[in-house]
Amino acid sequence: MGNHEKKKSRKNPPEDFCFEELSDEERLKYEVAMELGLYDRVLENGWKSLSAKETGRIGGIVSRRRVTNQDGEKQKK
């Protein structure tokens, strides 16, 4: 049997990666990752490189902001 080592795949962001062209939800995820200091790792290795704890933290913050934004919009009407 041969030595089968798994190569780490490195996903580099495309040269034409444009933050402004992302959907609002995707942009919010990247913003939160940036605030938590995880942005560089996400760009280099993709979202799969984050631990469950890190992804959960991002998801929780995104959810909280979405609810806060919806409440703010309702009050404006």
Side-chain angles (χ1 to χ4, degrees), residues 5-76:
E5 288 185 26
K6 216 175 194 182
K7 290 183 181 179
K8 278 192 171 183
S9 64
R10 183 170 225 177
K11 292 183 180 179
N12 291 326
E15 295 288 326
D16 58 349
F17 179 78
C18 186
F19 192 72
E20 290 79 26
E21 292 179 4
L22 297 173
S23 69
D24 290 340
E25 190 167 328
E26 283 292 311
R27 191 176 313 122
L28 184 56
K29 281 174 32 180
Y30 279 101
E31 288 173 3
V32 172
M34 208 177 297
E35 292 169 11
L36 297 175
L38 303 170
Y39 182 74
D40 290 334
R41 190 164 18 140
V42 169
L43 285 183
E44 285 182 25
N45 304 314
W47 292 103
K48 289 183 178 183
S49 65
L50 301 181
S51 70
K53 183 177 180 179
E54 292 165 334
T55 344
R57 181 170 286 149
I58 291 172
I61 293 171
V62 167
S63 296
R64 191 174 334 125
R65 287 190 187 171
R66 222 181 297 140
V67 169
T68 304
N69 288 342
Q70 288 174 353
D71 289 344
E73 289 176 7
K74 288 179 183 176
Q75 291 176 357
K76 288 180 184 178

Side-chain angles (χ1 to χ4, degrees), residues 1-5:
M1 290 188 192
N3 187 6
H4 298 287
E5 288 185 26

